[in-house]
mmCIF file of all heavy atoms in Angstrom:
data_model
loop_
_atom_site.group_PDB
_atom_site.id
_atom_site.type_symbol
_atom_site.label_atom_id
_atom_site.label_comp_id
_atom_site.label_asym_id
_atom_site.label_seq_id
_atom_site.Cartn_x
_atom_site.Cartn_y
_atom_site.Cartn_z
ATOM 1 N N THR Y 145 44.853 68.218 -1.063
ATOM 2 C CA THR Y 145 44.761 67.111 -1.979
ATOM 3 C C THR Y 145 45.869 66.137 -1.409
ATOM 4 O O THR Y 145 47.050 66.460 -1.205
ATOM 5 C CB THR Y 145 45.245 67.519 -3.443
ATOM 6 O OG1 THR Y 145 44.229 68.435 -3.881
ATOM 7 C CG2 THR Y 145 45.201 66.262 -4.334
ATOM 8 N N VAL Y 146 45.387 64.908 -1.171
ATOM 9 C CA VAL Y 146 46.285 63.880 -0.614
ATOM 10 C C VAL Y 146 47.224 63.353 -1.696
ATOM 11 O O VAL Y 146 46.803 62.962 -2.840
ATOM 12 C CB VAL Y 146 45.403 62.681 -0.134
ATOM 13 C CG1 VAL Y 146 46.303 61.634 0.581
ATOM 14 C CG2 VAL Y 146 44.321 63.134 0.920
ATOM 15 N N PRO Y 147 48.562 63.408 -1.408
ATOM 16 C CA PRO Y 147 49.563 62.992 -2.382
ATOM 17 C C PRO Y 147 49.394 61.437 -2.695
ATOM 18 O O PRO Y 147 48.868 60.703 -1.827
ATOM 19 C CB PRO Y 147 50.922 63.265 -1.628
ATOM 20 C CG PRO Y 147 50.626 64.162 -0.592
ATOM 21 C CD PRO Y 147 49.251 63.869 -0.122
ATOM 22 N N PRO Y 148 49.908 60.989 -3.804
ATOM 23 C CA PRO Y 148 49.918 59.570 -4.148
ATOM 24 C C PRO Y 148 50.545 58.743 -3.039
ATOM 25 O O PRO Y 148 51.471 59.249 -2.396
ATOM 26 C CB PRO Y 148 50.682 59.457 -5.477
ATOM 27 C CG PRO Y 148 50.644 60.891 -5.960
ATOM 28 C CD PRO Y 148 50.570 61.806 -4.811
ATOM 29 N N ASP Y 149 50.127 57.542 -2.784
ATOM 30 C CA ASP Y 149 50.653 56.625 -1.788
ATOM 31 C C ASP Y 149 50.743 57.161 -0.408
ATOM 32 O O ASP Y 149 51.581 56.996 0.390
ATOM 33 C CB ASP Y 149 52.129 56.274 -2.219
ATOM 34 C CG ASP Y 149 52.148 55.406 -3.534
ATOM 35 O OD1 ASP Y 149 51.263 54.715 -3.707
ATOM 36 O OD2 ASP Y 149 53.092 55.710 -4.290
ATOM 37 N N SER Y 150 49.619 58.075 -0.154
ATOM 38 C CA SER Y 150 49.599 58.659 1.215
ATOM 39 C C SER Y 150 47.992 58.641 1.685
ATOM 40 O O SER Y 150 47.167 58.298 0.918
ATOM 41 C CB SER Y 150 49.992 60.184 1.161
ATOM 42 O OG SER Y 150 51.331 60.185 0.791
ATOM 43 N N TYR Y 151 47.901 58.896 2.966
ATOM 44 C CA TYR Y 151 46.545 58.928 3.648
ATOM 45 C C TYR Y 151 46.343 60.197 4.398
ATOM 46 O O TYR Y 151 47.393 60.789 4.935
ATOM 47 C CB TYR Y 151 46.402 57.786 4.553
ATOM 48 C CG TYR Y 151 46.697 56.317 3.870
ATOM 49 C CD1 TYR Y 151 47.830 55.739 4.071
ATOM 50 C CD2 TYR Y 151 45.722 55.859 3.024
ATOM 51 C CE1 TYR Y 151 48.177 54.518 3.480
ATOM 52 C CE2 TYR Y 151 46.006 54.645 2.411
ATOM 53 C CZ TYR Y 151 47.227 53.972 2.656
ATOM 54 O OH TYR Y 151 47.448 52.813 1.960
ATOM 55 N N PHE Y 152 45.151 60.640 4.436
ATOM 56 C CA PHE Y 152 44.746 61.700 5.385
ATOM 57 C C PHE Y 152 44.001 61.051 6.536
ATOM 58 O O PHE Y 152 42.964 60.331 6.287
ATOM 59 C CB PHE Y 152 43.799 62.751 4.598
ATOM 60 C CG PHE Y 152 43.480 63.958 5.383
ATOM 61 C CD1 PHE Y 152 44.195 65.073 5.361
ATOM 62 C CD2 PHE Y 152 42.331 63.940 6.180
ATOM 63 C CE1 PHE Y 152 43.847 66.173 6.055
ATOM 64 C CE2 PHE Y 152 41.926 65.110 6.943
ATOM 65 C CZ PHE Y 152 42.726 66.246 6.882
ATOM 66 N N VAL Y 153 44.459 61.235 7.733
ATOM 67 C CA VAL Y 153 43.871 60.402 8.819
ATOM 68 C C VAL Y 153 43.323 61.448 9.893
ATOM 69 O O VAL Y 153 43.787 62.524 10.084
ATOM 70 C CB VAL Y 153 44.999 59.576 9.543
ATOM 71 C CG1 VAL Y 153 45.443 58.489 8.632
ATOM 72 C CG2 VAL Y 153 46.132 60.425 10.089
ATOM 73 N N LEU Y 154 42.253 60.952 10.590
ATOM 74 C CA LEU Y 154 41.596 61.733 11.584
ATOM 75 C C LEU Y 154 41.375 60.802 12.772
ATOM 76 O O LEU Y 154 41.286 59.588 12.734
ATOM 77 C CB LEU Y 154 40.246 62.207 11.077
ATOM 78 C CG LEU Y 154 40.209 63.205 10.003
ATOM 79 C CD1 LEU Y 154 38.700 63.407 9.471
ATOM 80 C CD2 LEU Y 154 40.848 64.549 10.474
ATOM 81 N N GLY Y 155 41.330 61.469 14.026
ATOM 82 C CA GLY Y 155 40.905 60.707 15.187
ATOM 83 C C GLY Y 155 39.403 60.759 15.223
ATOM 84 O O GLY Y 155 38.718 61.675 14.733
ATOM 85 N N ASP Y 156 38.789 59.725 15.843
ATOM 86 C CA ASP Y 156 37.361 59.730 16.020
ATOM 87 C C ASP Y 156 36.872 60.741 17.028
ATOM 88 O O ASP Y 156 35.686 61.196 16.950
ATOM 89 C CB ASP Y 156 36.955 58.263 16.521
ATOM 90 C CG ASP Y 156 37.149 57.260 15.384
ATOM 91 O OD1 ASP Y 156 37.464 57.589 14.204
ATOM 92 O OD2 ASP Y 156 37.162 56.035 15.684
ATOM 93 N N ASN Y 157 37.712 61.141 17.959
ATOM 94 C CA ASN Y 157 37.396 62.136 18.939
ATOM 95 C C ASN Y 157 37.912 63.448 18.228
ATOM 96 O O ASN Y 157 39.016 64.014 18.522
ATOM 97 C CB ASN Y 157 38.187 61.846 20.189
ATOM 98 C CG ASN Y 157 37.827 62.810 21.361
ATOM 99 O OD1 ASN Y 157 37.081 63.769 21.148
ATOM 100 N ND2 ASN Y 157 38.282 62.440 22.557
ATOM 101 N N ARG Y 158 37.249 63.866 17.303
ATOM 102 C CA ARG Y 158 37.690 64.952 16.401
ATOM 103 C C ARG Y 158 38.225 66.218 17.028
ATOM 104 O O ARG Y 158 39.110 66.799 16.471
ATOM 105 C CB ARG Y 158 36.462 65.389 15.482
ATOM 106 C CG ARG Y 158 36.059 64.238 14.550
ATOM 107 C CD ARG Y 158 36.903 64.151 13.319
ATOM 108 N NE ARG Y 158 36.774 62.866 12.596
ATOM 109 C CZ ARG Y 158 35.780 62.621 11.691
ATOM 110 N NH1 ARG Y 158 34.971 63.669 11.369
ATOM 111 N NH2 ARG Y 158 35.780 61.476 11.073
ATOM 112 N N ASP Y 159 37.664 66.652 18.081
ATOM 113 C CA ASP Y 159 38.127 67.957 18.763
ATOM 114 C C ASP Y 159 39.264 67.642 19.748
ATOM 115 O O ASP Y 159 39.731 68.580 20.448
ATOM 116 C CB ASP Y 159 37.030 68.661 19.361
ATOM 117 C CG ASP Y 159 36.013 69.212 18.410
ATOM 118 O OD1 ASP Y 159 36.460 69.502 17.246
ATOM 119 O OD2 ASP Y 159 34.797 69.230 18.649
ATOM 120 N N ASN Y 160 39.667 66.396 19.886
ATOM 121 C CA ASN Y 160 40.760 66.052 20.751
ATOM 122 C C ASN Y 160 41.721 65.046 20.122
ATOM 123 O O ASN Y 160 41.978 64.092 20.632
ATOM 124 C CB ASN Y 160 40.171 65.427 22.129
ATOM 125 C CG ASN Y 160 41.166 65.287 23.236
ATOM 126 O OD1 ASN Y 160 42.216 65.832 23.242
ATOM 127 N ND2 ASN Y 160 40.888 64.269 24.093
ATOM 128 N N SER Y 161 42.135 65.445 18.978
ATOM 129 C CA SER Y 161 43.047 64.597 18.154
ATOM 130 C C SER Y 161 44.035 65.407 17.399
ATOM 131 O O SER Y 161 43.629 66.383 16.649
ATOM 132 C CB SER Y 161 42.132 63.757 17.162
ATOM 133 O OG SER Y 161 43.004 63.003 16.341
ATOM 134 N N THR Y 162 45.247 65.090 17.459
ATOM 135 C CA THR Y 162 46.290 65.627 16.565
ATOM 136 C C THR Y 162 46.343 64.611 15.446
ATOM 137 O O THR Y 162 46.699 63.443 15.632
ATOM 138 C CB THR Y 162 47.632 65.710 17.411
ATOM 139 O OG1 THR Y 162 47.388 66.558 18.554
ATOM 140 C CG2 THR Y 162 48.761 66.297 16.466
ATOM 141 N N ASP Y 163 46.109 65.123 14.189
ATOM 142 C CA ASP Y 163 46.104 64.242 13.106
ATOM 143 C C ASP Y 163 46.509 65.009 11.831
ATOM 144 O O ASP Y 163 47.181 66.002 11.933
ATOM 145 C CB ASP Y 163 44.619 63.599 12.953
ATOM 146 C CG ASP Y 163 43.537 64.656 13.140
ATOM 147 O OD1 ASP Y 163 43.643 65.738 12.491
ATOM 148 O OD2 ASP Y 163 42.528 64.313 13.824
ATOM 149 N N SER Y 164 46.002 64.580 10.725
ATOM 150 C CA SER Y 164 46.481 65.206 9.382
ATOM 151 C C SER Y 164 46.071 66.621 9.179
ATOM 152 O O SER Y 164 46.627 67.265 8.402
ATOM 153 C CB SER Y 164 45.951 64.341 8.225
ATOM 154 O OG SER Y 164 46.608 63.078 8.124
ATOM 155 N N ARG Y 165 45.134 67.092 10.010
ATOM 156 C CA ARG Y 165 44.776 68.465 9.956
ATOM 157 C C ARG Y 165 45.817 69.374 10.501
ATOM 158 O O ARG Y 165 45.900 70.599 10.208
ATOM 159 C CB ARG Y 165 43.437 68.700 10.688
ATOM 160 C CG ARG Y 165 42.247 67.913 10.161
ATOM 161 C CD ARG Y 165 41.028 68.061 11.069
ATOM 162 N NE ARG Y 165 41.282 67.344 12.249
ATOM 163 C CZ ARG Y 165 40.454 67.219 13.251
ATOM 164 N NH1 ARG Y 165 39.252 67.885 13.174
ATOM 165 N NH2 ARG Y 165 40.652 66.517 14.330
ATOM 166 N N ASP Y 166 46.719 68.765 11.246
ATOM 167 C CA ASP Y 166 47.813 69.534 11.855
ATOM 168 C C ASP Y 166 49.093 69.289 11.046
ATOM 169 O O ASP Y 166 49.506 68.181 10.748
ATOM 170 C CB ASP Y 166 47.997 68.977 13.299
ATOM 171 C CG ASP Y 166 49.014 69.785 14.169
ATOM 172 O OD1 ASP Y 166 49.984 70.245 13.611
ATOM 173 O OD2 ASP Y 166 48.797 69.849 15.383
ATOM 174 N N ASP Y 167 49.774 70.374 10.640
ATOM 175 C CA ASP Y 167 50.992 70.225 9.858
ATOM 176 C C ASP Y 167 52.114 69.440 10.536
ATOM 177 O O ASP Y 167 52.992 68.947 9.912
ATOM 178 C CB ASP Y 167 51.528 71.748 9.537
ATOM 179 C CG ASP Y 167 50.636 72.453 8.463
ATOM 180 O OD1 ASP Y 167 49.878 71.687 7.830
ATOM 181 O OD2 ASP Y 167 50.707 73.614 8.438
ATOM 182 N N ARG Y 168 52.046 69.288 11.903
ATOM 183 C CA ARG Y 168 53.037 68.543 12.586
ATOM 184 C C ARG Y 168 52.919 67.035 12.252
ATOM 185 O O ARG Y 168 53.761 66.317 12.411
ATOM 186 C CB ARG Y 168 52.977 68.734 14.059
ATOM 187 C CG ARG Y 168 53.402 70.160 14.469
ATOM 188 C CD ARG Y 168 53.132 70.397 15.922
ATOM 189 N NE ARG Y 168 51.718 70.278 16.169
ATOM 190 C CZ ARG Y 168 51.191 70.372 17.411
ATOM 191 N NH1 ARG Y 168 51.948 70.509 18.456
ATOM 192 N NH2 ARG Y 168 49.887 70.336 17.565
ATOM 193 N N VAL Y 169 51.727 66.671 11.821
ATOM 194 C CA VAL Y 169 51.470 65.221 11.418
ATOM 195 C C VAL Y 169 51.367 65.251 9.879
ATOM 196 O O VAL Y 169 51.978 64.465 9.211
ATOM 197 C CB VAL Y 169 50.190 64.659 12.111
ATOM 198 C CG1 VAL Y 169 49.974 63.255 11.600
ATOM 199 C CG2 VAL Y 169 50.330 64.735 13.586
ATOM 200 N N GLY Y 170 50.426 65.902 9.320
ATOM 201 C CA GLY Y 170 50.186 66.059 7.902
ATOM 202 C C GLY Y 170 49.820 64.661 7.298
ATOM 203 O O GLY Y 170 49.161 63.852 8.006
ATOM 204 N N PHE Y 171 50.065 64.490 6.047
ATOM 205 C CA PHE Y 171 49.725 63.235 5.398
ATOM 206 C C PHE Y 171 50.555 62.067 5.861
ATOM 207 O O PHE Y 171 51.720 62.304 6.185
ATOM 208 C CB PHE Y 171 49.891 63.351 3.833
ATOM 209 C CG PHE Y 171 49.032 64.535 3.285
ATOM 210 C CD1 PHE Y 171 49.680 65.592 2.794
ATOM 211 C CD2 PHE Y 171 47.670 64.465 3.167
ATOM 212 C CE1 PHE Y 171 49.026 66.705 2.275
ATOM 213 C CE2 PHE Y 171 46.968 65.470 2.694
ATOM 214 C CZ PHE Y 171 47.563 66.654 2.310
ATOM 215 N N VAL Y 172 50.011 60.933 5.839
ATOM 216 C CA VAL Y 172 50.711 59.740 6.315
ATOM 217 C C VAL Y 172 51.215 58.954 5.047
ATOM 218 O O VAL Y 172 50.353 58.524 4.297
ATOM 219 C CB VAL Y 172 49.892 58.879 7.193
ATOM 220 C CG1 VAL Y 172 50.625 57.518 7.545
ATOM 221 C CG2 VAL Y 172 49.448 59.608 8.410
ATOM 222 N N ASP Y 173 52.439 58.811 4.870
ATOM 223 C CA ASP Y 173 53.071 58.103 3.720
ATOM 224 C C ASP Y 173 52.809 56.589 3.948
ATOM 225 O O ASP Y 173 52.913 56.110 5.043
ATOM 226 C CB ASP Y 173 54.582 58.348 3.700
ATOM 227 C CG ASP Y 173 55.128 57.761 2.431
ATOM 228 O OD1 ASP Y 173 55.159 56.508 2.321
ATOM 229 O OD2 ASP Y 173 55.625 58.551 1.535
ATOM 230 N N ARG Y 174 52.401 55.958 2.907
ATOM 231 C CA ARG Y 174 52.042 54.501 2.970
ATOM 232 C C ARG Y 174 53.153 53.721 3.555
ATOM 233 O O ARG Y 174 53.062 52.727 4.284
ATOM 234 C CB ARG Y 174 51.744 53.950 1.571
ATOM 235 C CG ARG Y 174 51.325 52.592 1.628
ATOM 236 C CD ARG Y 174 50.772 52.055 0.303
ATOM 237 N NE ARG Y 174 51.663 52.374 -0.793
ATOM 238 C CZ ARG Y 174 51.479 52.013 -2.008
ATOM 239 N NH1 ARG Y 174 50.324 51.404 -2.353
ATOM 240 N NH2 ARG Y 174 52.406 52.158 -2.962
ATOM 241 N N LYS Y 175 54.464 54.145 3.380
ATOM 242 C CA LYS Y 175 55.670 53.408 3.885
ATOM 243 C C LYS Y 175 55.738 53.472 5.374
ATOM 244 O O LYS Y 175 56.444 52.653 6.009
ATOM 245 C CB LYS Y 175 56.966 53.987 3.295
ATOM 246 C CG LYS Y 175 57.097 53.790 1.838
ATOM 247 C CD LYS Y 175 58.305 54.444 1.273
ATOM 248 C CE LYS Y 175 58.311 54.254 -0.252
ATOM 249 N NZ LYS Y 175 59.286 55.318 -0.877
ATOM 250 N N SER Y 176 55.110 54.449 6.040
ATOM 251 C CA SER Y 176 55.116 54.592 7.463
ATOM 252 C C SER Y 176 53.987 53.783 8.157
ATOM 253 O O SER Y 176 53.945 53.716 9.447
ATOM 254 C CB SER Y 176 55.179 56.013 7.982
ATOM 255 O OG SER Y 176 53.945 56.597 7.691
ATOM 256 N N VAL Y 177 53.084 53.151 7.399
ATOM 257 C CA VAL Y 177 51.954 52.404 7.971
ATOM 258 C C VAL Y 177 52.511 51.050 8.418
ATOM 259 O O VAL Y 177 53.187 50.259 7.562
ATOM 260 C CB VAL Y 177 50.818 52.206 6.910
ATOM 261 C CG1 VAL Y 177 49.769 51.331 7.551
ATOM 262 C CG2 VAL Y 177 50.276 53.632 6.594
ATOM 263 N N LEU Y 178 52.248 50.689 9.681
ATOM 264 C CA LEU Y 178 52.778 49.410 10.227
ATOM 265 C C LEU Y 178 51.738 48.341 10.131
ATOM 266 O O LEU Y 178 52.049 47.243 9.988
ATOM 267 C CB LEU Y 178 53.202 49.606 11.644
ATOM 268 C CG LEU Y 178 54.284 50.746 11.871
ATOM 269 C CD1 LEU Y 178 54.429 50.998 13.385
ATOM 270 C CD2 LEU Y 178 55.582 50.278 11.249
ATOM 271 N N GLY Y 179 50.399 48.736 10.276
ATOM 272 C CA GLY Y 179 49.466 47.713 10.267
ATOM 273 C C GLY Y 179 48.029 48.390 10.335
ATOM 274 O O GLY Y 179 47.850 49.580 10.349
#
Side-chain angles (χ1 to χ4, degrees):
T145 300
V146 184
D149 298 321
S150 297
Y151 305 103
F152 185 92
V153 297
L154 295 171
D156 293 344
N157 189 351
R158 294 278 167 84
D159 294 329
N160 189 23
S161 176
T162 302
D163 47 43
S164 289
R165 297 171 291 179
D166 187 328
D167 289 339
R168 293 173 295 175
V169 178
F171 302 111
V172 176
D173 189 293
R174 183 171 56 179
K175 293 175 187 164
S176 67
V177 176
L178 305 171

